[in-house]
Amino acid sequence: MRHLLLATALLAVTTAAGAQDTAMNTLAERYVRLALSLGQHDADYVDAYYGPEPWRTEALAEKLSLADIQSRADALVRELQMARPPESADEMVRLRHTYLTTQLRSLRARASMVGGARMTFDEESRALYDAVAPMHTEAELQALLASLEAALPGQGSLIDRLEAFRTRFVIPRDRLDATFQAAITGCRERTQQYVQLPGNESFTVEYVTGKSWSGYNWYQGNYRSLIQVNTDLPIYVDRAIDLACHEGYPGHHAYNVLIEKNLVRDRGWWEYSVVPLFSPQALIMEGTANYGIEVAFPKADRLEFERRVIFPAAGLNPADVTPYYEVMDLVARLSYAGNEAARRYLNGEINASQAADWLAKYGLYSRPRAEQRVKFIDQYRSYVINYNLGKDMVAAHVETLAGADWTPARRWQQFLRLISSPRLPSGLTTPNSTTPNSQRVP
Ligand SMILES: [Zn+2]
């Protein structure tokens, strides 16, 4: 009798969980369909989709207006609020609920933007990406430039000296693929030491021109990606490992493979089969892809691999690895100058040409790169924060959870947990708290 009672009680619990799952799956399907509908109005919105094909064809046929998409998103958010799981529910179930709600609010904001609504840079990034980038003053950026002045002595302006220095480190076009493939092998080997990826995962690399970005991962489902590398401008040697990690392992390709495996296939959570580009998930994707570079290649390992493998593959002198990275580490600290240019430009304070000037002055972009970057800002707008702020937020989260005395293995463990779960920016842990703080605005 006791056994029977226990069995009945267990059945009740299972049924309740099952019913909640079914209810969430229905809400999730409606979210996917809305994302596909918004993709009809915004060609860049759906970055990847590998869910049921009828959902896509039905969204195409239905041709929802932007107003309908917004009102359906509002209704769905209200229904989700009524379906909130209890605090005692499994963490993944709670993350799933928060994910859907946050992604939907962002979808609604993007639909209103496509319809003509205008926001400031910070309003837009909060609405779309669940985060706001810190401000950096011209004085702060000037101080960083001063440290570069000291590292690159000589005649002429700092940007000209940097250009002259970097020209020696371009990967010749006929060595590009071999160098990039060597970097991919290095990234894959290091990633596979810590995570078992599905045996049939793979990607293809293509070299393209005429794009506003330098590299792109197009995830196609079934554990496959197409990675495109833009060769409009010369590619410097540091980009080999950066791009291989960012687009491949443990960046976008590995992220999408693990999400497909852990969430879509194992749990049947179909909302992850659509990747909306302008959404909070993008900050996690770009942040983990950028932070993943140093997770895969801690500094000493990277310098050794550059000397032994990458510089020889590119036909460059391995003796130049240390001086090159001393300068590049300083240049990397200027990345927030790009956010400031975008903030001023999108807020209407400066025009496109002045934005390029700002990128040249404070970010040390050469003129062609500055112009390419302004085109990127035109196309993707406040998305720019996802790279540097995303990296910093992800680093803080992973390193806080891995503990003050983290080891590479513990850092990998926390990193992999993040790229296998539905966590969004406001759910990341900060250094001052060991629990996520959804109220936090970075
Ligand atoms: Zn990326």
Side-chain angles (χ1 to χ4, degrees), residues 246-247 252 286 289 383 387:
H246 181 104
E247 309 294 348
H252 294 322
E286 299 300 354
Y383 193 91
Y387 298 98

Side-chain angles (χ1 to χ4, degrees), residues 35-107:
L36 295 171
S37 292
L38 182 50
Q40 304 298 309
H41 298 269
D42 177 359
D44 287 325
Y45 187 70
V46 177
D47 193 47
Y49 178 64
Y50 52 90
E53 195 49 37
W55 295 3
R56 192 201 319 251
T57 46
E58 282 159 28
L60 253 172
E62 201 176 14
K63 284 198 178 3
L64 281 185
S65 69
L66 287 167
D68 281 342
I69 291 170
Q70 289 174 68
S71 62
R72 288 191 190 193
D74 285 338
L76 199 41
V77 167
R78 283 196 296 273
E79 287 182 57
L80 273 164
Q81 280 167 343
M82 289 185 286
R84 178 182 290 280
E87 283 302 310
S88 57
D90 175 68
E91 187 190 33
M92 287 292 275
V93 169
R94 284 183 286 121
L95 285 175
R96 180 189 196 193
H97 182 270
T98 305
Y99 174 94
L100 268 176
T101 308
T102 312
Q103 291 283 111
L104 267 164
R105 289 201 172 110
S106 163
L107 179 152

